[in-house]
Amino acid sequence: MAHLSLSTDSISTLTSEVSDEEMFREHRSDSFGTSMSEEEHDQFQHDASTSVYESLREGVSADVVQLELVSLRMSANASDHQVRRAIATAFMRRVQALMESGKGAGEAVRDVFTNYKVVVERGLFDKNKDEKNDQVDLLLQIQQDLIHRAKGETILLFTAKQLYDLDVIEEEAFEAWWEDERSKRTEELRRVRSQTQQFIEWLATAEEEDSEEEEEDSEEEESE
């Protein structure tokens, strides 16, 4: 990642209060075969995201945060998608709070995701699958939340890099998210992801270089 310049000063600070809630309602089917009402859904999102955020703020261990989240999910019969959305909201809220206290975006993102990596990972079940639906969903939830936050473009760029460095989100998932119509269907979504384009381009370049190196190694072995 040394070739990727992540300058906070070069990224504009914009905010938006526009909601695109309808964008994700198609995912609200419950994993246990029943559906939550709108009121129950909103209550779970509030309770779960608040619980996780307060735990992050207080420095509670990742294992305890995960146990609390599982308990809330079971009591509300919430879906995996709803859990990922609550995690995205809480993590982004914590990152913003750390930035408001004086930390840079990169440092704030690194602190939150490094210390609580396991909480994110346990909401993803597609690491060994061809389709990266869970990872794409998490990226969409983070992107959606950052529409409403100051320096959302900056935070998304550093978050993408950190999730990649921690091996939480795979390259294929980033590519699928970037091409997904849900990630670019509104002006606000396109704006908040604009600075992350340099990271996506870096991934593509790195993949091409790896392919070329593999071809060269193969040719050398054949010549020997």
Side-chain angles (χ1 to χ4, degrees), residues 15-30:
T15 58
S16 171
E17 298 301 327
V18 180
S19 175
D20 194 29
E21 178 68 15
E22 292 295 331
M23 175 176 167
F24 300 108
R25 288 185 181 175
E26 62 193 79
H27 297 285
R28 288 184 176 179
S29 58
D30 187 86

Side-chain angles (χ1 to χ4, degrees), residues 105-164:
E107 183 182 5
V109 168
R110 185 168 55 252
D111 286 354
V112 173
F113 282 94
T114 300
N115 293 327
Y116 294 95
K117 170 185 175 182
V118 65
V119 177
V120 181
E121 287 184 317
R122 289 180 182 175
L124 305 173
F125 307 97
D126 55 4
K127 276 297 184 72
N128 298 315
K129 298 180 180 179
D130 293 335
E131 298 293 328
K132 307 299 181 181
N133 296 327
D134 294 348
Q135 296 176 55
V136 170
D137 183 42
L138 177 65
L139 289 171
L140 288 169
Q141 303 313 311
I142 291 172
Q143 181 187 9
Q144 173 69 18
D145 180 85
L146 289 174
I147 286 175
H148 313 290
R149 299 192 186 277
K151 296 188 177 181
E153 302 97 324
T154 312
I155 297 171
L156 183 58
L157 174 57
F158 279 104
T159 297
K161 177 184 179 299
Q162 190 64 36
L163 289 171
Y164 178 78

